[in-house]
Amino acid sequence: MIERTDESRTILVTGATGYVGGRLVPRLLERGYRVRCLVRDAARLEGRGWNGVEVATGDVLEYSTLAPALQEVDTAYYLVHAMAGGEEGFEARDLYAAQNFGRAAQAAGVRRIIYLGGLGRDEDELSPHLRSRHEVGEQLRSWGVAVTEFRAGVIIGAGSISFDLVRYLTERVPILISPKWVSTLTQPIAIDDVLRYLVECLEKPETEKRILEIGGRDIMSYGQMMLAYAKVRGLKRWLVPVPVLTPRLSSWWVRLVTPLPVSVARPLIDGLKNQVIVKDPAAQQMFGFTPMGYEDAVRTALRRAETGNVETIWSGALSTFTTRNSSQPFPHEKTDGMISYRRQISTKASATDIFRVLSSLGGKTGWLYADILWRLRGYFDQLIGGVGLSRGRRVSNELRIGDPLDFWRVEALVPDQLLRLRAEMKVPGKAWLQFEIIPQDVSRVRIIQTAYYEPKGLVGLLYWYVLYPIHIVIFQGMITAIAHKAESLSNFREKTPA
C-alpha cells in the first residue's frame, strides 16, 4: 500500500455498485486513499471486502440526501448513469441527477469532480445517449467546481456492456448481420486503462478543469471488433451487410442473442451511429503510458471470465434496469394481500454445503429441477420486454447482495443461513424466493423454501392461481434436488481424506 501524505483527504465514489465504480474503489484503497461510497442501499456493499470504506446512504435524485455524503469531501467521482428510460427518459433523469450533485458539491465545498462520460464531437448530431453524457458534464461544470471529464468510447472488460455485446453477437451467430452502424469507427479501451486514468489523475493537478479523451491503441469498426474477437477465440465468422436494418430492428436482434434488454440495447445502438475516436491526444501525453490494444484487452477479459475473476458486471447496477420508483423492498411483516407458498425438507447435509448449492443456482448450472420450464419462462419474459434468463450471473459459485441471477436479484444473504431473491422478470405484482437453513439437531438441518407474491389487481391474482399447479411441481422438485445435491457434497467431503 502507498501511504498518502494527507490522510484527511476524503474521496467520494458515486456509482460504487456499478461496473466502473465497483472496480475503482478497491484500487483507491490500495493507494491508501480514504474512500467514502454513496449508495442507495448500503447492504449492496456487503461481501465486497472493502475494509475501511465509509458508506453514505443517499440518492443523486434526492438532493436532500447528498449533503451528509459530501461533507469534508475533497474529490468526488461521478460515475452515475441510467440506461433504462423509465417514464421521464434517461436523459432527463441523468441531467436532474447531475444538477443535484453539482449543486450539493458546490454547497459542501468539494474541490474537484472527476466524471467519466462518452466520446463524440459536440458539433456532430449525437445520439440521445452520447448527447446526454456531454450534457451531464456541462451541468457538473456549471456549478463552479473543478471538473475533470474523461470521455471514453467502448470499454472492454469481463462483464462490461460493450464487451458482452460483441461477445454474444460473435459467439452465438456464425454469420454476423451487419447493419450500417457496424462500419462506424470507434477506439475501444480496456477497463484496466480506464481505471488507471481515473486513479492517477488524482495526483495530476494539470488534469483539473479539462476534458480528456481516452481510447485504446486501435481504431476499428464494430465489425472489425467482432472479427478480431472471433480471431482471438479461434472462431470463423462472416459479416453480411444488411443496410436496411434500422436501429429499432437492430435492438430487437441484439435482444434475441445477447443479455441486453431492449430498453438498454436501443439507446446503446443509437449511439453506435456516431464515430467515437480520440481527436485530442492530451490525455496520453499527460499520463505517459500506452493503452492496451484491442486483442490484448479481449484476451484479458476472457481470461478473467474463464477463471471467475470478475469483479463487477454491467447488469449488477440497479439503475441499468430500474427507475427511482421501482425498488421493491421485502415486506418483513406480511401485508394485506400477500400470498406465500412454503416447502421444507430435512436433510443430513451440512448448512455449509446447502448454502454452497444455493450459491451456485442459475447461470450455466441452472435451477436443478425442470430447467426446461425455467427456460420457457425466461423466453416468455424476454419476449414481453423483460430481462429473461440471459443475464446469467457474475461468477459461478459466489453471490453478493445486489448480484443479478438470471431474472432474479440477490436481496438478502447470510452465509449458511439465508438467501432471498427478488424477481426482476415481468410479473403483475412483486415476487421473492427465499431459502432459510435452520439447524434441527447435531445431525440434521432443515431447508425452508418460501415463494412470496404480492399481486397487483385482479390480473396479479389470476397470474398466481393459473400458475399455481406449475409452481407446486417446480418448487417441490427444486427443494428436493437442492437437498440431494447438498447431501452428495457432504458425503463426498466425509469420504475424502483431509
Side-chain angles (χ1 to χ4, degrees), residues 145-446:
V145 180
V147 175
T148 300
E149 178 180 349
F150 286 102
R151 291 184 175 177
V154 172
I155 295 177
I156 302 299
S160 79
I161 193 168
S162 300
F163 179 67
D164 274 0
L165 176 64
V166 171
R167 181 185 184 186
Y168 282 99
L169 286 174
T170 309
E171 291 275 359
R172 295 181 174 180
V173 186
I175 298 177
L176 304 173
I177 293 177
S178 178
K180 289 177 65 176
W181 56 263
V182 172
S183 62
T184 304
L185 291 178
T186 185
Q187 195 163 347
I189 182 169
I191 180 62
D192 288 349
D193 289 331
V194 173
L195 294 168
R196 183 171 178 180
Y197 278 119
L198 290 173
V199 172
E200 291 187 4
C201 76
L202 285 171
E203 303 303 323
K204 292 184 180 293
E206 66 271 25
T207 63
E208 296 182 14
K209 299 182 180 181
R210 294 290 303 267
I211 295 176
L212 298 172
E213 299 180 343
I214 57 175
R217 205 163 56 226
D218 302 315
I219 296 174
M220 56 206 313
S221 69
Y222 290 93
Q224 290 171 327
M225 286 172 58
M226 288 188 280
L227 292 176
Y229 176 93
K231 175 186 172 185
V232 171
R233 287 280 288 115
L235 304 171
K236 290 186 177 180
R237 295 293 183 263
W238 297 268
L239 283 175
V240 177
V242 186
V244 296
L245 198 61
T246 65
R248 184 179 183 85
L249 291 175
S250 292
S251 65
W252 281 101
W253 168 244
V254 166
R255 182 65 189 98
L256 184 65
V257 295
T258 78
L260 277 65
V262 172
S263 60
V264 172
R266 181 62 191 274
L268 187 64
I269 288 174
D270 282 343
L272 301 185
K273 71 180 182 181
N274 294 115
Q275 180 173 284
V276 285
I277 59 177
V278 174
K279 298 292 187 180
D280 181 358
Q284 190 169 338
Q285 293 168 357
M286 286 181 181
F287 286 80
F289 72 90
T290 301
M292 199 181 300
Y294 175 72
E295 290 188 15
D296 288 336
V298 168
R299 290 188 186 95
T300 301
L302 288 173
R303 183 172 62 252
R304 289 175 178 166
E306 288 166 1
T307 58
N309 183 24
V310 182
E311 298 172 79
T312 56
I313 57 177
W314 62 270
S315 54
L318 283 174
S319 60
T320 306
F321 297 101
T322 61
T323 64
R324 59 188 289 191
N325 297 318
S326 62
S327 59
Q328 302 176 1
F330 182 72
H332 292 278
E333 297 295 331
K334 190 171 180 180
T335 61
D336 291 341
M338 172 75 79
I339 301 170
S340 63
Y341 175 77
R342 175 169 293 191
R343 278 283 185 266
Q344 52 186 308
I345 192 170
S346 180
T347 173
K348 294 181 179 180
S350 69
T352 299
D353 287 328
I354 295 167
F355 193 77
R356 186 176 290 122
V357 172
L358 293 176
S359 297
S360 65
L361 290 173
K364 293 180 180 179
T365 300
W367 293 86
L368 301 185
Y369 184 80
D371 248 13
I372 183 63
L373 296 180
W374 287 92
R375 286 197 295 271
L376 287 173
R377 181 63 178 88
Y379 293 143
F380 176 72
D381 189 61
Q382 190 170 324
L383 184 65
I384 61 175
V387 297
L389 293 178
S390 56
R391 290 189 309 183
R393 46 183 297 152
R394 181 176 54 87
V395 293
S396 63
N397 59 357
E398 175 194 80
L399 292 176
R400 295 188 309 221
I401 293 176
D403 270 358
L405 181 58
D406 292 342
F407 46 41
W408 305 91
R409 190 175 294 272
V410 179
E411 183 175 84
L413 182 153
V414 181
D416 300 345
Q417 297 180 46
L418 172 75
L419 173 64
R420 184 167 66 243
L421 307 175
R422 186 183 71 239
E424 289 190 341
M425 77 285 278
K426 295 278 189 178
V427 291
K430 303 175 183 179
W432 295 264
L433 181 60
Q434 178 171 282
F435 299 92
E436 297 169 89
I437 304 170
I438 310 293
Q440 286 183 277
D441 52 44
V442 293
S443 62
R444 299 194 72 83
V445 174
R446 185 173 299 278

Side-chain angles (χ1 to χ4, degrees), residues 473-484:
V473 173
I474 291 176
F475 291 139
Q476 180 61 52
M478 183 183 182
I479 193 173
T480 302
I482 289 169
H484 287 168

